[in-house]
Amino acid sequence: SETAANARFNMPDGGLSRVWLARGKERQMITSADQLIEELMSKRPPRHKERAMRVLLIKGLLTKPQVQMWVKQLHYYRVNVPRKELYILANCPVKEIRMERIQKYMEEEDDRVIGGNVGPHAALWLKLGEGLGIPRAELEDFRDLSPEYRLLVDSWLGFARDHSWLEGAAMSFDEDGGTGRGGEGMKMAEALAKVYQVPEWGLVHFTLHSELDIEHGSSTRDLIKKYALTEEQQNGVRAAVAFKRAFHRLEDQCMWLVCKIDPKLHAEID
């Protein structure tokens, strides 16, 4: 049942639901579900501060080689998204919840398996690279991937592997922060087309995710409301959201170094 699923999802053995239910009654939530979401939203950092390099891209202030290097780095993140989703599924002992999550995994891995027509999302990033003139082989063999960014992405994968499924899922809380037709993603697509001459076929990643990430962000909030029932679970969600926000800050700092961006351009962010 839904009640049992709620109670036992974070246990190594789903059969211990009675024990978990008893513990749940003894513990008090420190805040309501809606208050938790409001708290997390109130601490969401301004996106242009967290991902400052993307502001420079939108303004056309980066050189084409700098944009190419950024795409080469981010490809390592893109190809590992399905692995992150699999860790979340593997850590969840409750079938009902896995069935809710499996569509997101399949969308990332290859939606054609479930009747879609997009294919692997990582392949859309390859198209962006090719639209910028990067040979596919240079992306696929990660020859220009910095060790710092590899370590950062691996730490993100490790978080999903080593924490509860809910904490892994909660890392997607901010996915909808730059989406929609007037959001960061579409602004980047416009700049990539206008300033960096990327053809339309190379921008599908942004046009797809401008809408899809809205759905992902909303579904993540719904999961938190439904399954973060105890103080321990809610604190785990807080830690997961904070981890992913720190990840994006460090990612941006890494890109400034790897892409050799003039620090003086920080003045263009505000």
Side-chain angles (χ1 to χ4, degrees), residues 65-259:
Q66 287 172 329
V67 177
Q68 290 173 326
M69 183 59 72
W70 172 72
V71 169
K72 290 179 180 180
Q73 304 305 306
L74 266 291
H75 182 57
Y76 187 65
Y77 178 89
R78 295 307 323 167
V79 299
N80 277 294
V81 170
R83 291 181 63 201
K84 182 262 294 184
E85 293 298 328
L86 278 176
Y87 283 136
I88 294 170
L89 288 170
N91 286 338
C92 181
V94 182
K95 179 182 177 181
E96 296 89 343
I97 301 173
R98 292 198 302 271
M99 295 303 292
E100 289 180 14
R101 292 287 307 179
I102 198 165
Q103 182 175 345
K104 188 174 190 296
Y105 161 68
M106 293 308 306
E107 287 173 352
E108 294 288 352
E109 189 75 271
D110 191 336
D111 72 341
R112 293 172 297 186
V113 176
I114 55 174
N117 58 10
V118 175
H121 283 194
L124 303 181
W125 199 258
L126 286 173
K127 289 183 178 180
L128 171 61
E130 291 176 320
L132 280 163
I134 306 172
R136 180 174 285 238
E138 288 187 19
L139 286 165
E140 292 184 322
D141 65 13
F142 304 111
R143 68 186 67 176
D144 292 319
L145 176 64
S146 73
E148 296 85 357
Y149 191 59
R150 180 189 291 273
L151 180 63
L152 187 59
V153 173
D154 289 349
S155 73
W156 164 71
L157 283 173
F159 190 100
R161 181 192 63 220
D162 298 335
H163 291 74
S164 75
W165 76 268
L166 181 59
E167 292 167 273
M171 287 196 291
S172 298
F173 183 83
D174 291 329
E175 271 193 20
D176 62 342
T179 53
R181 296 193 179 278
E184 176 194 78
M186 291 308 297
K187 289 179 180 178
M188 285 197 291
E190 292 170 6
L192 285 164
K194 181 178 180 180
V195 181
Y196 304 102
Q197 290 80 53
V198 177
E200 185 175 353
W201 53 260
L203 302 172
V204 179
H205 168 86
F206 298 102
T207 55
L208 176 68
H209 281 269
S210 67
E211 301 298 334
L212 189 59
D213 285 350
I214 294 177
E215 178 183 333
H216 288 172
S218 177
S219 64
T220 299
R221 289 191 288 275
D222 289 341
L223 285 172
I224 292 171
K225 287 182 179 181
K226 190 174 181 180
Y227 297 112
L229 303 179
T230 68
E231 179 181 356
E232 181 181 2
Q233 291 158 1
Q234 290 185 349
N235 284 337
V237 165
R238 291 184 178 96
V241 174
F243 175 91
K244 189 60 182 296
R245 289 170 178 172
F247 172 92
H248 284 303
R249 289 193 300 273
L250 291 171
E251 178 184 69
D252 190 68
Q253 294 171 20
C254 184
M255 295 307 154
W256 282 70
L257 292 173
V258 174
C259 300

